[in-house]
Amino acid sequence: MRPFLPDTETLIPYLRRIDNNRWYSNYGPLCHELEERLAEHWSVKTTHVLSLSNATQALSIALWSVEAPAGSLCLMPSWSFVATAHAARQVGFTPFLTDVDANSAALTPDIAFASLKRAPSPVGAVIVVCPFGAPVPWEDWADFQQRTGIPVIIDAAAAFDTVQPGPVPTVVSLHATKVFPAGEGAILMCTNDDVVEQARRRANFGFLGDHHSRCHATNAKMSEYHAAVGLASLDAWPANRRRWQSALNQMRQACAQAGLADWPQGLGETYVCSSPTIRSAAASHLISGLQSDGIEARRWWQGGIASHEAFNQVPRLALPVTEQLAATTLALPCWLDIDPQSISRVAASLKRHAHPD
């Protein structure tokens, strides 16, 4: 992967505004403008969007803001990046790992309902993950939340292009590796004004309107410099989205030429993300083969959260689907301005190694 952020020339107008304002953090004017423009992008009120320092902090703040009972279990899919579990642990929850649906690779309400019955202690919150930017419908989770009384957070770190506004708090990463980057940062979106207001307080030492701290909090505000990069990325988003579509569709064709047909449904057509993955029974062989040809390929989430030493003692249920996904999923190299020669190299390597003897 080669991250692609706005260049110096496109940033200069925003940097000059920072120089003139002499306001560098603490919810400055560029952060407010980014929130306003993203609210317009998602057709929600400005009060439904909050800029934050990074997605891990944003997930932690979201858990605080829905007033989930600290000290309880946080149900989450093991098939996720470790940041999901770190965010829960950071604010006093114990990750409780469960499996995912074999087709969508996502946690579903049915799986969550079944997991609640087998939890070793009370579950105080659920984090749902959008796997590799794929869409996850918030309506089903709003229904789950209403039926169980358990608050739900959606970890949509890679899903800027698929998130839909709703009452379930949703976190989008603006990391440099994402399709909509600010270098570092995150957006928390929720149509519940109270949740977003609480999150704004929790991200600012517990302050809101004065300097009296009224709750447990941290410092997770986005800087004006990261907001400047985010605004420049937003300026370029329509064109960059088309470029991502082109890059992803070329990569899909390279996979098809190698006989690798298990490409994520809709990727490159209805949505874009920066980490295309495919599933193959020969994943290990493919990764070794691509690497031997000097092409980066890897297991993006390794074996899922349960495979990491930091979480080998947390409670979990059986994870057969996660284990199967870990064994068969590989992430392919792809970037915004990938050139035809690089695509041809990947296609040739895939074709050479796709079917081991």
Side-chain angles (χ1 to χ4, degrees):
M1 176 183 289
R2 299 180 63 195
F4 189 101
L5 272 71
D7 62 22
T8 302
E9 291 303 313
T10 58
L11 287 175
I12 284 175
Y14 292 109
L15 297 178
R16 283 179 174 154
R17 287 175 55 188
I18 295 174
D19 291 344
N20 292 334
N21 293 331
R22 295 176 65 176
W23 193 336
Y24 307 102
S25 188
N26 294 345
Y27 299 130
L30 270 67
C31 281
H32 282 303
E33 182 177 337
L34 180 62
E35 292 169 358
E36 289 170 356
R37 289 182 58 186
L38 285 174
E40 182 179 358
H41 173 80
W42 283 312
S43 299
V44 295
K45 298 191 299 184
T46 303
T47 53
H48 295 161
V49 176
L50 175 64
S51 57
L52 294 163
S53 59
N54 63 67
T56 308
Q57 284 279 69
L59 287 171
S60 296
I61 288 166
L63 285 169
W64 262 340
S65 301
V66 296
E67 299 182 350
S72 59
L73 299 180
C74 182
L75 176 68
M76 64 182 66
S78 185
W79 188 235
S80 181
F81 184 53
V82 290
T84 310
H86 281 302
R89 182 175 271 173
Q90 184 170 276
V91 288
F93 292 86
T94 298
F96 173 38
L97 306 178
T98 191
D99 217 353
V100 293
D101 176 73
N103 293 319
S104 68
L107 178 64
T108 65
D110 286 345
I111 293 173
F113 277 121
S115 300
L116 290 178
K117 297 175 183 177
R118 302 173 62 191
S121 59
V123 172
V126 175
I127 296 181
V128 185
V129 176
C130 300
F132 306 109
V136 167
W138 63 260
E139 296 93 344
D140 295 342
W141 287 104
D143 178 68
F144 172 93
Q145 190 169 252
Q146 185 174 20
R147 290 170 63 184
T148 63
I150 299 173
V152 177
I153 309 297
I154 297 179
D155 179 350
F160 174 81
D161 198 33
T162 61
V163 293
Q164 297 178 347
V168 180
T170 300
V171 170
V172 177
S173 173
L174 306 188
H175 188 266
T177 57
K178 300 299 187 279
V179 292
F180 180 75
E184 187 59 277
I187 295 296
L188 187 153
M189 177 176 60
C190 182
T191 55
N192 183 324
D193 286 348
D194 293 338
V195 169
V196 179
E197 182 177 286
Q198 185 67 227
R200 192 176 294 274
R201 182 194 300 274
R202 299 278 189 173
N204 188 30
F205 306 104
F207 302 153
L208 190 67
D210 58 29
H211 285 161
H212 187 72
S213 184
R214 293 179 172 84
C215 58
H216 292 296
T218 187
N219 177 19
K221 302 183 294 295
M222 179 183 282
S223 78
E224 287 290 272
Y225 290 101
H226 289 101
V229 180
L231 286 164
S233 288
L234 193 52
D235 293 338
W237 173 243
N240 283 348
R241 187 181 187 278
R242 290 191 293 271
R243 295 173 73 183
W244 271 114
Q245 284 186 300
S246 175
L248 290 163
N249 285 323
Q250 290 179 69
M251 190 59 66
R252 179 178 58 183
Q253 291 169 14
C255 292
Q257 291 167 13
L260 300 166
D262 203 347
W263 179 266
Q265 183 178 3
L267 180 60
E269 297 175 311
T270 59
Y271 76 97
V272 299
C273 82
S274 58
S275 50
T277 59
I278 57 169
R279 299 185 201 174
S280 169
S284 294
H285 180 80
L286 273 168
I287 291 170
S288 296
L290 288 162
Q291 290 177 346
S292 71
D293 290 338
I295 298 169
E296 183 183 10
R298 55 177 162 145
R299 302 185 191 282
W300 197 254
W301 285 344
Q302 295 81 43
I305 295 170
S307 69
H308 291 269
E309 184 178 351
F311 300 102
N312 61 14
Q313 298 299 318
V314 302
R316 74 211 42 204
L317 299 177
L319 303 169
V321 176
T322 298
E323 290 165 2
Q324 178 69 9
L325 289 169
T328 59
T329 302
L330 68 149
L332 295 169
C334 193
W335 53 92
L336 180 68
D337 57 343
I338 193 167
D339 55 274
Q341 292 78 15
S342 295
I343 291 286
S344 296
R345 280 189 64 210
V346 173
S349 184
L350 286 171
K351 193 170 184 179
R352 188 159 48 246
H353 300 292
H355 305 289
D357 297 331

